[in-house]
Amino acid sequence: MSKYEVINTEYVTVTVSEDGKHIEIDLADDVKISRHQKQLKAYVDKLYNTGIKKINADQLSMPYLNKSLKLTRGKRRLDLVYYKDGRIHECEFKTRRECGLNITYNQIGEMKKHCQNFILLIPQSELIFVTDTIKNRKIKGVTVDTWDT
C-alpha cells in the first residue's frame, strides 16, 4: 500500500496510508521527551489508573486530562493539578537535578503563596536533602512527596 508524506519539517515527518486509515509519525533523532516530562507522564498515568479522574498536567497531551482545571498560580504554572477525595492537589514536579537548584526553592516559595494544598513531588533518593533544604530555608506550607514509589 502506498504512503503519502503530508507533513515534513526538521522535527517531524507524518505519512498517511493510501486508504487514509494509518498514520505514521516519525520524530527527528534529536527530538526527545525530557526526563521531567517522562516522569510526569508516568506519575499522571499512575494517578489515573488508581481512579483519579479530575487531572490536568502541563506540557502533556493525554485524552483523559481535564484542561478546565487551571494550572496557573500567580505568575507561574504548576506541573500537575488533580482532585482526590474532594480536595485539590497542586503539584510541582522536580527531577533529581532540579532538587539541587537554588531556583527550585525560590519557585516553591513563590508558588505556595497561591496554592491551597501545594505538593512538591521529587525522587525518593532526594527526600532527605529536599526536606532538610526546605526546613533550613524556613519554607512553610509545602508537602513533600515522592513520585517514584
Side-chain angles (χ1 to χ4, degrees), residues 70-126:
K70 300 299 179 206
L71 297 169
T72 303
R73 300 294 188 276
K75 295 180 181 179
R76 298 191 177 269
R77 286 176 64 85
L78 292 164
D79 289 319
L80 172 65
V81 172
Y82 66 95
Y83 280 86
K84 180 179 178 186
D85 301 327
R87 186 171 183 206
I88 191 168
H89 294 72
E90 301 155 301
C91 306
E92 190 59 27
F93 194 92
K94 298 299 179 191
T95 62
R96 184 170 184 246
R97 182 189 69 81
E98 292 168 314
C99 289
L101 300 176
N102 188 49
I103 194 168
T104 292
Y105 301 95
N106 294 339
Q107 180 185 33
I108 293 166
E110 181 60 31
M111 290 190 84
K112 71 168 186 70
K113 295 177 190 174
H114 305 282
C115 295
Q116 297 173 36
N117 183 24
F118 184 79
I119 302 167
L120 179 62
L121 295 168
I122 60 167
Q124 177 73 37
S125 64
E126 300 305 307

Side-chain angles (χ1 to χ4, degrees), residues 10 13-14 26 30 35 91 95 97 109 122 126 137:
E10 62 184 296
T13 300
V14 178
D26 293 312
D30 58 341
R35 179 174 300 221
C91 306
T95 62
R97 182 189 69 81
I122 60 167
E126 300 305 307
R137 290 178 180 236

Side-chain angles (χ1 to χ4, degrees), residues 14-30:
V14 178
T15 55
V16 179
S17 64
E18 186 175 31
D19 63 2
K21 293 184 178 183
H22 302 281
I23 297 173
E24 288 182 18
I25 300 172
D26 293 312
L27 295 177
D29 289 338
D30 58 341

Side-chain angles (χ1 to χ4, degrees), residues 5 10 16 30 44 56 58 60 86 94 96 100 102 127-128:
E5 193 172 282
E10 62 184 296
V16 179
D30 58 341
V44 170
N56 193 11
D58 195 24
L60 294 179
K94 298 299 179 191
R96 184 170 184 246
N102 188 49
L127 186 59
I128 294 171

